[in-house]
Amino acid sequence: QVHLVESGGGLVQAGGSLRLSCAASRSIHIIDRMAWYRQAPGKQRELVARISDEGSTNYADSVKGRFAISRDTGKNTMYLQMNSLKFEDTAVYYCNAYMLRPYPTNYWGQGTQVTVSS
């Protein structure tokens, strides 16, 4: 089992920046895929950004050019750098890890609140 703990959320003004961190309980180099999701009140949980075990990245159209996903295998940590934040970015952000072995499984952190003031 993989335990994930998010941190770095908080209150920020529109146009500001924030960096989220996700610490994993085991080496992330053996995790097949990691991602950041978010969920705003009354809305579906949506994919924000994803990074593969080879470092390839994908972003939701709404955050392209503003957010950057990265990882530090030495620290077993994934990051989400968020720039030019908008009020619409307000949500609970969740860390996700996907592993194929021993069987396909998605793991989730408890989430960290990001609130952007207008």
Side-chain angles (χ1 to χ4, degrees):
Q1 186 173 330
V2 178
H3 296 279
L4 305 169
V5 180
E6 303 96 334
S7 62
L11 176 65
V12 64
Q13 292 182 322
S17 298
L18 203 62
R19 189 179 75 163
L20 305 183
S21 299
C22 173
S25 62
R26 62 186 299 177
S27 179
I28 62 174
H29 84 277
I30 52 85
I31 297 175
D32 295 291
R33 188 189 71 203
M34 298 187 74
W36 287 98
Y37 286 74
R38 68 185 181 188
Q39 187 168 26
K43 296 184 178 180
Q44 298 278 354
R45 184 174 297 187
E46 64 175 347
L47 176 66
V48 177
R50 180 161 52 201
I51 187 166
S52 74
D53 58 352
E54 298 297 327
S56 298
T57 59
N58 291 284
Y59 297 93
D61 288 341
S62 60
V63 306
K64 287 181 179 178
R66 299 189 298 120
F67 290 10
I69 189 171
S70 63
R71 64 185 182 185
D72 186 331
T73 56
K75 296 181 179 179
N76 292 335
T77 302
M78 178 180 65
Y79 303 96
L80 183 67
Q81 178 66 47
M82 304 184 293
N83 299 320
S84 301
L85 282 162
K86 305 174 180 178
F87 176 78
E88 294 77 21
D89 295 318
T90 296
V92 177
Y93 284 70
Y94 296 93
C95 179
N96 166 264
Y98 177 76
M99 296 186 68
L100 289 169
R101 299 179 180 179
Y103 44 83
T105 307
N106 273 297
Y107 299 94
W108 298 92
Q110 295 302 305
T112 185
Q113 177 71 48
V114 172
T115 302
V116 183
S117 63
S118 59

